[in-house]
Amino acid sequence: MEWSADSLFILCAMYKRGLVQVWSLEQPEWHCKIDEGSAGLVASCWSPDGRHILNTTEFHLRVTVWSLCTKSVSYIKYPKACQQGMAFTRDGRYMALAERRDCKDFVSIFVCSDWQLLRHFDTDTQDLAGVEWAPNGCVLAVWDSCLEYKVLLYSLDGRLLSVYSAYEWSLGIKSVAWSPSSQFLAIGSYDGKVRLLNHVTWKMTTEFGHPAAISNPKTVVYREVEKSPPPGLGHLSLPPSRAGARPLTNAAASESKYEVASVPISLQTLKPAADRANPRMGVGMLAFSPDSYFLATRNDNIPNAVWVWDIQKLRLFVVLEQLCPVRSFQWDPQQPRLAICTGGNKVYLWSPAGCVSVQVPGEGDFPVLALCWHSSGDSLALLGKDHFCLCFLETSKDVGAAFGRRDSCT
Amino acid sequence: MGDWMTVTDPGLSAESQNISLYTSETKMSPSSLYSQQVLCSSIPLSKNVHSFFSAFCTEENIEQSISYLDQELTTFGFPSLYEEPKSKEAKKELNIVAVLNCMNELLVLQRKNLLAQENVETQNLKLGSDMDHLQSCYAKLKEQLEASRREIIGLQERDRQLQCKNRNLHQLLKNEKDEVQKLQNIIASRATQYNHDMKRKEREYNKLKERLHQLVMNKKDKKIAMDVLNYVGRADGKRGSWRTGKTEARNEDEMYKILLNDYEYRQKQILMENAELKKVLQQMKKEMISLLSPQKKTPRERADESTGAVISDVEEDGGELSRESMWDLSCETVREQLTNSIRKQWRILKSHVEKLDNQVSKVNLEGFNDEDVISRQDHEQETEKLELEIQQCKEMIKTQQQLLQQQLATACDDDTTSLLRDCYLLEEKERLKEEWSLFKEQKKNFERERRSFTEAAIRLGLERKAFEEERASWLKQQFLNMTTFDHPNSENVKLFSAFSGSSDQDNLPVHSKQRQKKPPSTSNGSPVCTSKMTKSLPASPTLDSCQTRSCVSEHSSVSVLTVTPEEMKPDQVGRECTSQTWSVVSRPGAQPGCSVDAL
């Protein structure tokens, strides 16, 4: 399910049936149904202008571009079945699509307005794994699969700007992220390091390691600890209209708080199975803060910890160690505020001022499986299995959450 | 040597000695026997003189012995003992003079030989000890040599072992490297193999996809369709445009425009950064120049360099200032000039700092050569000294402040008061000394007075007795007369006068007794009861009153003062009154003195 970019339409795709349905918000009686039929459906998404739907057929045979304006269809052959084969620029003008023909990788750049092929060039990769536009829309990062560490940088017109390869033979790139200012490209690899490339020379500026033992006294380590529940209180049921109260003060359910652990400290590590593919090691999650000052990473060896790096000083700033493995984290789109969820019933917020663990109020457990910020940065949606919770953040310094709660079925 | 020992044995008989002597004489022996001979001759000489003589020459063989001796001496080169023969057949006469001369010569020889022998002996001893010493040294050196040889062997052995180990490790390392290389090669080959396989599979897959695609496209079933109620307007409200070559060109244009914008933006940023950096560099250069220019006064060896450099740079600066505006162009030459000049300045600064360091180290080694340059050590020492001084001064100030505070504060404990008193006691002590001397004087005077008073008291007592007796007799008479005569006025007057006089007189002894009692009582500090007084004096009302008053007055000298003048009759004038007052007056002064003394 996906909103269109101008929030006027909602797309619902049923992959098993190969159907895509579109509804309009303005006109409730308007509807649209797209049937892929025997071609099948593997992925469906909006184009940035909100008027085209791109369906990827089964086996990645083709990408069909359905236009809502003209009811026309365009086909793009041989899209690549890879992790991140399709990428739109931030301004929505261009789309990069990874293709593979005759055992060679290609990248096609389309103009989104009329789906004209702008550029088509081959890439010097063994097995292209992903493409990503820089936020300024002028550079396209293309990287190889994890069997080979290679990042290629192309300019908008298809010229190869630079190639970067840190090492050979070991497992390579796991995740890639651009900084919002387009100044840095962060590459997380299977060796547990993040390498930053700068946009001027496309050479490595620095690399961040993720060791299990932290000894630098300047880094702050927040450790989540269980608060001992007050004895004999029993379980309090909350009235749903509760508002303004800090959730830390209620309920006998296990609460936790952050305490600052003293350095040197060693984090819990997970030893990955060496004989399996896609081992749980390396830097799997990368995210820049909106002002490009911080980079949040997660090393899959140490799944409970989130590492926050200070980009100004190019060093480790804060480590947050949770009790459960971190599922996902996301930066507030407006300020350097990070929200983390671990699958427990708490959401964790970190900002340079401090961090707090907030329990989601509700009856029973609310496993927070995913979270999503509102674009204004004022509220946060927490998604559970079949519930979701909206968290409103007040503008005061302390995150005193006034909770609203709704039930819905997904 | 062994022979020597046997010779020196005093128990030897003379004969054996003589035999040895004979043998030594005839043989013309080597030095040892010679010495033997000498000793032989020297030692028994004293003991067995006569036997010696008798052994060689007896009265029978004089001629023979003389001839023998003559023969021997002539062979030794001495002149003959015989006189010049007058005739061939005449008997040879003994030339005594020659004999004596020969004896003398022999004695001299003997002495020389003894000396020589002594020298030889001492030399022998020395050589012997030297030999011992050298032998011991030799033995030690041999041991050392052996030990060092052994050590060398050990070390060589170790060295060899280590080298072996080293070689082994090198070998291992090489092996490991080779293995690594091999493994890498294996990986590379496997990778190519996999890639090849992958490509093959991919081609197959593509074929399948193509086939499937064909099938799907061919089917063209109606299901693949979009069912839209109505067309939706475009997002930006414009109409859709046809795909033509123009649109393509337009797209290209737009793309290039975007790219160019981005590049321009970035270039602007970089230019700004460059300008800032240039500014910083320029500032640095100016500061460095200003740092280096005052150094023209320093040693001339450097002056030429620095001044030369500075001057040249100043000239450059002058030239460059005019070209400041050209910097914005950031052409190669300007950039190079700037960097070169900065490098030059930096080198000059560095050399300057190095020279300063050298100077400092030189001064530390040699001492004060240059007045301007103070060695770091001395500087440090001085600073330390100054710091110490400052600390001491501070402590002094603190203690003084404390003392001041203590003085100002009224609540003090005994220690402080005693301390304070100690400060002032000196003054008081001196004062006390003076007073003490005064007191002593007064005491002396007291004693004198006391003596005089006691005498007076005794006299008075005697007089009183006499007077009492007179009175008694007179009273008797009066009484007797009263029956006959009547003279109350005169009696009363007399009585009163008598009483007053007696009272006064009684007072006197009372006071005197008081005073007598007083000096010893003050030492005790306790009032003395006037029980004695009561006993001594007859009971009378006036006397009682006097006593009580005196008793009362004993407790306070002041009251004595007040009492006595009142009791004093105006006619009772004299030395005693004055003496009373004087003595009473002096008491208060003495009392504090005494009290002080007691304290």
Side-chain angles (χ1 to χ4, degrees):
Chain A
M1 196 158 77
E2 200 180 323
W3 280 92
S4 71
D6 52 2
S7 307
L8 289 177
F9 298 97
I10 298 176
L11 174 155
C12 295
M14 285 173 276
Y15 295 149
K16 285 197 182 136
R17 283 165 64 178
L19 266 176
V20 176
Q21 278 177 304
V22 188
W23 279 283
S24 162
L25 282 179
E26 285 178 332
Q27 297 169 321
E29 62 273 9
W30 186 91
H31 71 277
C32 166
K33 195 160 88 167
I34 300 171
D35 192 350
E36 285 288 343
S38 49
L41 195 60
V42 167
S44 177
C45 67
W46 282 102
S47 74
D49 61 358
R51 296 289 176 274
H52 295 85
I53 296 171
L54 291 99
N55 287 344
T56 315
T57 59
E58 231 167 340
F59 303 116
H60 285 83
L61 281 178
R62 62 165 191 261
V63 171
T64 341
V65 185
W66 301 90
S67 166
L68 291 175
C69 319
T70 60
K71 217 179 175 185
S72 62
V73 185
S74 314
Y75 295 104
I76 304 173
K77 276 178 99 173
Y78 309 125
K80 178 121 194 231
C82 56
Q83 197 185 4
Q84 207 173 316
M86 197 188 298
F88 291 98
T89 58
R90 201 171 269 196
D91 52 6
R93 277 173 190 258
Y94 301 101
M95 180 186 86
L97 184 69
E99 298 174 8
R100 193 167 175 97
R101 259 169 242 222
D102 298 328
C103 312
K104 274 178 77 94
D105 291 314
F106 294 88
V107 170
S108 301
I109 299 179
F110 292 94
V111 183
C112 289
S113 48
D114 51 7
W115 301 107
Q116 263 194 338
L117 178 66
L118 188 62
R119 284 285 187 276
H120 180 81
F121 50 90
D122 68 327
T123 63
D124 186 20
T125 52
Q126 293 281 353
D127 188 10
L128 203 153
V131 293
E132 188 158 346
W133 285 102
N136 63 2
C138 296
V139 183
L140 181 69
V142 168
W143 62 90
D144 211 337
S145 74
C146 57
L147 286 173
E148 185 158 340
Y149 194 125
K150 202 185 235 176
V151 167
L152 297 113
L153 292 139
Y154 291 93
S155 91
L156 180 59
D157 57 347
R159 286 176 300 121
L160 176 65
L161 294 171
S162 167
V163 181
Y164 176 72
S165 171
Y167 51 79
E168 281 196 307
W169 304 128
S170 292
L171 290 177
I173 300 171
K174 200 165 184 185
S175 55
V176 170
W178 282 98
S179 80
S181 58
S182 305
Q183 278 177 315
F184 296 107
L185 177 66
I187 306 169
S189 49
Y190 276 91
D191 63 347
K193 290 200 183 147
V194 174
R195 290 174 177 83
L196 279 184
L197 307 185
N198 74 80
H199 73 306
V200 179
T201 60
W202 300 116
K203 294 228 181 331
M204 183 179 86
T205 308
T206 180
E207 65 177 30
F208 296 138
H210 293 75
I214 304 163
S215 54
N216 188 352
K218 284 188 190 163
T219 59
V220 183
V221 179
Y222 292 103
R223 194 174 246 175
E224 188 196 354
V225 288
E226 287 276 338
K227 251 197 212 175
S228 55
L233 259 182
H235 180 77
L236 303 169
S237 60
L238 306 162
S241 61
R242 194 185 189 96
R246 294 188 66 107
L248 289 170
T249 59
N250 53 17
S254 62
E255 294 168 17
S256 70
K257 60 178 172 110
Y258 278 109
E259 68 171 25
V260 180
S262 60
V263 163
I265 194 175
S266 72
L267 303 163
Q268 264 184 317
T269 54
L270 195 70
K271 193 129 188 261
D275 53 348
R276 286 228 184 137
N278 297 328
R280 279 198 175 182
M281 58 192 245
V283 180
M285 290 162 74
L286 282 176
F288 273 96
S289 71
D291 52 1
S292 295
Y293 277 12
F294 298 108
L295 172 67
T297 64
R298 186 187 81 149
N299 187 359
D300 296 339
N301 279 30
I302 309 166
N304 293 9
V306 175
W307 309 62
V308 179
W309 304 83
D310 184 345
I311 299 298
Q312 269 187 317
K313 295 176 192 153
L314 290 178
R315 63 172 179 81
L316 181 60
F317 192 52
V318 161
V319 177
L320 296 149
E321 196 184 2
Q322 315 295 131
L323 289 169
C324 312
V326 172
R327 277 186 81 96
S328 78
F329 52 78
Q330 203 180 20
W331 287 97
D332 182 339
Q334 300 297 326
Q335 33 174 314
R337 200 156 50 172
L338 184 68
I340 305 167
C341 72
T342 63
N345 59 348
K346 299 178 201 69
V347 67
Y348 307 93
L349 288 158
W350 175 87
S351 77
C355 58
V356 70
S357 142
V358 181
Q359 194 178 15
V360 177
E363 291 146 18
D365 260 346
F366 184 99
V368 180
L369 301 172
L371 46 78
C372 185
W373 283 94
H374 188 264
S375 57
S376 67
D378 285 334
S379 50
L380 184 62
L382 307 166
L383 304 159
K385 261 199 252 182
D386 45 2
H387 290 71
F388 81 91
C389 178
L390 273 175
C391 168
F392 293 94
L393 299 166
E394 291 166 5
T395 48
S396 60
K397 269 195 180 175
D398 296 302
V399 179
F403 267 81
R405 185 162 164 263
R406 279 180 221 156
D407 288 309
S408 84
C409 301
T410 50
Chain B
M1 290 299 156
D3 296 333
W4 197 24
M5 293 300 287
T6 54
V7 165
T8 56
D9 189 6
L12 270 173
S13 61
E15 292 168 352
S16 61
Q17 286 172 352
N18 292 329
I19 289 165
S20 62
L21 177 64
Y22 277 131
T23 52
S24 60
E25 274 190 68
T26 51
K27 279 178 186 175
M28 294 287 280
S29 53
S31 62
S32 57
L33 287 169
Y34 201 59
S35 60
Q36 205 176 355
Q37 180 191 4
V38 169
L39 260 169
C40 257
S41 58
S42 60
I43 288 171
L45 204 62
S46 52
K47 286 189 183 173
N48 308 319
V49 171
H50 298 293
S51 58
F52 173 68
F53 277 127
S54 58
F56 176 58
C57 179
T58 55
E59 283 168 8
E60 290 88 46
N61 58 354
I62 291 174
E63 292 291 328
Q64 286 160 3
S65 51
I66 289 171
S67 64
Y68 173 69
L69 281 172
D70 183 49
Q71 262 182 0
E72 290 286 316
L73 286 167
T74 44
T75 50
F76 273 124
F78 286 101
S80 173
L81 290 177
Y82 289 122
E83 282 179 357
E84 286 281 332
K86 292 167 187 170
S87 60
K88 269 197 186 176
E89 290 168 0
K91 213 179 167 182
K92 285 185 182 170
E93 294 290 329
L94 190 64
N95 189 353
I96 306 234
V97 170
V99 167
L100 290 172
N101 283 333
C102 288
M103 271 178 62
N104 188 34
E105 285 293 323
L106 284 169
L107 280 170
V108 165
L109 255 175
Q110 170 81 337
R111 258 184 242 125
K112 267 197 230 166
N113 288 337
L114 276 172
L115 264 172
Q117 191 189 358
E118 270 180 37
N119 288 340
V120 164
E121 273 170 18
T122 49
Q123 220 180 19
N124 201 12
L125 274 172
K126 269 191 220 164
L127 287 171
S129 64
D130 280 341
M131 272 276 283
D132 282 336
H133 176 67
L134 285 169
Q135 269 185 353
S136 63
C137 281
Y138 172 69
K140 265 191 235 162
L141 285 170
K142 247 175 94 166
E143 269 179 45
Q144 272 183 5
L145 184 69
E146 274 304 312
S148 50
R149 276 217 193 100
R150 264 182 266 131
E151 226 183 279
I152 284 171
I153 290 169
L155 287 170
Q156 276 178 347
E157 184 60 37
R158 229 176 55 186
D159 181 45
R160 198 180 56 82
Q161 280 177 0
L162 286 171
Q163 275 192 353
C164 269
K165 243 198 249 177
N166 197 17
R167 254 181 277 127
N168 288 344
L169 286 171
H170 271 295
Q171 195 63 36
L172 278 172
L173 182 67
K174 224 172 66 168
N175 291 346
E176 290 296 319
K177 277 192 188 159
D178 288 337
E179 233 183 275
V180 163
Q181 194 62 37
K182 237 195 324 182
L183 284 170
Q184 278 190 341
N185 291 339
I186 287 171
I187 289 171
S189 63
R190 279 175 87 99
T192 47
Q193 186 65 34
Y194 287 142
N195 283 340
H196 179 75
D197 279 341
M198 270 274 285
K199 282 197 180 120
R200 207 155 36 91
K201 293 224 167 73
E202 221 183 303
R203 278 191 209 106
E204 261 187 61
Y205 174 64
N206 282 341
K207 276 190 213 153
L208 278 170
K209 254 168 69 168
E210 283 284 322
R211 188 89 183 93
L212 190 60
H213 199 240
Q214 274 174 15
L215 283 170
V216 165
M217 289 308 284
N218 285 343
K219 261 206 179 167
K220 284 256 186 208
D221 51 336
K222 299 282 181 201
K223 280 196 176 177
I224 301 176
M226 186 158 95
D227 180 20
V228 176
L229 195 64
N230 55 356
Y231 292 113
V232 181
R234 278 168 67 93
D236 47 2
K238 286 194 207 150
R239 288 167 61 89
S241 53
W242 296 101
R243 270 197 208 178
T244 57
K246 249 200 239 174
T247 54
E248 275 189 35
R250 203 165 21 95
N251 286 336
E252 292 268 323
D253 285 340
E254 270 184 42
M255 176 188 78
Y256 283 123
K257 252 189 250 177
I258 289 167
L259 274 175
L260 280 170
N261 284 339
D262 185 55
Y263 282 131
E264 269 171 20
Y265 173 73
R266 263 200 266 161
Q267 202 199 6
K268 241 190 274 179
Q269 299 272 339
I270 288 168
L271 273 174
M272 265 169 34
E273 225 182 289
N274 265 5
E276 271 183 45
L277 287 169
K278 266 189 211 157
K279 261 189 247 169
V280 168
L281 280 174
Q282 185 63 9
Q283 210 181 3
M284 255 174 60
K285 196 177 81 162
K286 274 189 196 149
E287 276 174 21
M288 272 201 271
I289 288 166
S290 63
L291 261 177
L292 290 169
S293 50
Q295 298 306 322
K296 281 177 192 168
K297 296 173 196 167
T298 51
R300 283 164 219 136
E301 4 157 351
R302 286 187 284 120
D304 296 328
E305 286 180 38
S306 57
T307 47
V310 166
I311 286 164
S312 66
D313 213 57
V314 164
E315 283 173 4
E316 259 187 49
D317 252 6
E320 276 187 25
L321 279 169
S322 63
R323 278 184 266 150
E324 249 185 63
S325 53
M326 300 226 316
W327 282 357
D328 294 335
L329 298 176
S330 73
C331 53
E332 272 293 316
T333 47
V334 173
R335 209 175 347 121
E336 269 181 34
Q337 268 178 1
L338 179 62
T339 49
N340 284 341
S341 61
I342 289 220
R343 277 205 201 109
K344 218 195 307 181
Q345 291 301 318
W346 180 247
R347 252 182 271 132
I348 291 167
L349 188 69
K350 211 166 65 168
S351 63
H352 180 61
V353 168
E354 275 168 17
K355 272 170 194 159
L356 278 173
D357 274 340
N358 286 341
Q359 259 196 353
V360 166
S361 59
K362 264 191 229 164
V363 165
N364 280 339
L365 291 168
E366 293 166 15
F368 282 114
N369 293 326
D370 197 0
E371 287 172 358
D372 298 328
V373 178
I374 306 169
S375 69
R376 207 181 294 158
Q377 281 181 359
D378 291 343
H379 183 68
E380 280 172 9
Q381 278 174 12
E382 281 220 41
T383 49
E384 277 176 19
K385 270 189 237 163
L386 288 168
E387 274 172 22
L388 269 170
E389 273 186 51
I390 289 168
Q391 271 231 325
Q392 283 171 0
C393 291
K394 276 188 192 164
E395 278 167 22
M396 264 173 63
I397 290 168
K398 265 189 221 167
T399 47
Q400 281 180 1
Q401 274 182 351
Q402 278 177 8
L403 286 169
L404 263 173
Q405 276 183 1
Q406 279 175 2
Q407 276 195 13
L408 291 170
T410 50
C412 308
D413 44 353
D414 289 335
D415 295 332
T416 52
T417 46
S418 63
L419 277 168
L420 283 169
R421 251 183 263 149
D422 276 330
C423 304
Y424 297 125
L425 261 173
L426 280 166
E427 278 186 59
E428 266 204 55
K429 273 185 191 164
E430 279 169 28
R431 255 189 279 133
L432 283 170
K433 274 182 200 163
E434 289 173 21
E435 281 182 14
W436 190 243
S437 54
L438 262 172
F439 174 64
K440 276 185 189 160
E441 274 186 50
Q442 286 167 16
K443 207 173 163 186
K444 276 184 215 161
N445 296 332
F446 252 7
E447 291 288 319
R448 262 188 275 126
E449 271 186 30
R450 201 204 292 169
R451 267 184 250 122
S452 60
F453 283 144
T454 46
E455 284 166 16
I458 292 162
R459 266 188 280 119
L460 277 167
L462 290 167
E463 281 178 12
R464 196 197 283 158
K465 270 188 198 166
F467 181 70
E468 288 290 325
E469 282 168 11
E470 259 191 67
R471 209 175 113 208
S473 60
W474 189 78
L475 278 170
K476 267 188 214 170
Q477 273 188 3
Q478 284 286 327
F479 187 60
L480 288 166
N481 292 339
M482 263 176 78
T483 49
T484 54
F485 294 92
D486 201 10
H487 298 287
N489 292 331
S490 63
E491 280 172 24
N492 286 336
V493 167
K494 279 184 194 167
L495 193 69
F496 277 119
S497 69
F499 268 114
S500 66
S502 72
S503 69
D504 283 328
Q505 283 176 346
D506 285 333
N507 275 337
L508 277 172
V510 165
H511 284 297
S512 70
K513 280 198 181 157
Q514 252 186 337
R515 265 180 255 123
Q516 281 173 29
K517 298 263 166 91
K518 264 289 182 178
S521 74
T522 50
S523 64
N524 302 334
S526 57
V528 179
C529 196
T530 54
S531 54
K532 290 183 189 170
M533 280 190 224
T534 52
K535 282 180 191 168
S536 61
L537 297 167
S540 62
T542 53
L543 284 171
D544 276 331
S545 64
C546 283
Q547 279 174 8
T548 53
R549 247 185 265 137
S550 68
C551 282
V552 166
S553 69
E554 267 184 23
H555 292 280
S556 61
S557 54
V558 177
S559 51
V560 170
L561 256 171
T562 53
V563 162
T564 43
E566 286 166 23
E567 285 183 8
M568 230 35 93
K569 285 283 178 186
D571 55 352
Q572 274 280 340
V573 184
R575 187 182 162 274
E576 286 155 343
C577 295
T578 54
S579 69
Q580 268 185 359
T581 53
W582 177 81
S583 60
V584 168
V585 161
S586 72
R587 213 169 288 136
Q591 250 185 359
C594 290
S595 65
V596 167
D597 193 28
L599 282 164

